Every structure is written in structure tokens, then in C-alpha cells.
Amino acid sequence: MTFYPGSTGHLVGEHLGPLHVAEGARLDVEGLQNGPTEVAAGAVVKVAALGRLAGSSRVAGVVENRGVRAGNTVLAGGEVQDIEGGGIEAPVISRSASPRES
């Protein structure tokens, strides 16, 4: 899903897949974003208290997080602000098979 320059959007419900927020766009995440996210320079993503941004993120703009962030974040000249109770979810590691015993 792409939000083009100058656009404003509200993500409610759940989106599964890549998300691109172009320069000058603004997105309010009130639901769940599951997939890679790219926030261009001059773009703003605001994660609401019950929102979730999961997956790798490349941030050249601004992410204001009041909800939950999960996944790797690469700052590419941008900033991420965890405010008003916003937090980071630790990764979960699980195994699909038991290791062999020698």
C-alpha cells in the first residue's frame, strides 16, 4: 500500500504487506500494519495507542509511536519517538524442530 506525496490516510483494521509513506504524506495507524514499512523524508506516521507497526521499518521521516512497534528499525536520517506509553515489542524466537541430541 502506498500513500502518495501530500496524501493523508488512516489505517484501521489490519494490513498485511509492504507500506510506503511518501514525502509529505501523513498516516495514522489505528489498527495493525504487518509487513515492511518505509517512511520517506518529510513523511509522518502516527501510531495510535491501540495501533501496531510490525515488520522492518526504514525511517527517513518521523514515526510517533503511542502503540507498539515490533521488528527491526533502520534510521535513514529520520526519527522514531516512543511517547505516551508507546513501546517496543521484543522479538520472539521459536524453533520448528527439536535439535538433535548427540
Side-chain angles (χ1 to χ4, degrees):
M1 177 173 10
T2 300
F3 290 87
Y4 292 98
S7 66
T8 300
H10 297 279
L11 183 108
V12 295
E14 182 174 6
H15 176 254
L16 178 60
L19 173 66
H20 176 74
V21 185
E23 182 178 352
R26 176 189 159 139
L27 175 64
D28 294 324
V29 178
E30 298 171 4
L32 308 173
Q33 162 56 26
N34 293 305
T37 300
E38 184 168 343
V39 182
V44 177
V45 173
K46 294 187 174 192
V47 182
L50 296 177
R52 185 170 191 263
L53 194 63
S56 60
S57 297
R58 183 178 183 282
V59 182
V62 176
V63 173
E64 293 180 5
N65 177 44
R66 290 175 174 81
V68 175
R69 292 188 299 117
N72 296 328
T73 300
V74 175
L75 294 178
E79 63 180 296
V80 175
Q81 305 165 354
D82 294 313
I83 53 178
E84 298 176 9
I88 303 168
E89 185 176 287
V92 175
I93 300 171
S94 59
R95 295 187 177 165
S96 60
S98 298
R100 293 186 197 188
E101 293 188 28
S102 10

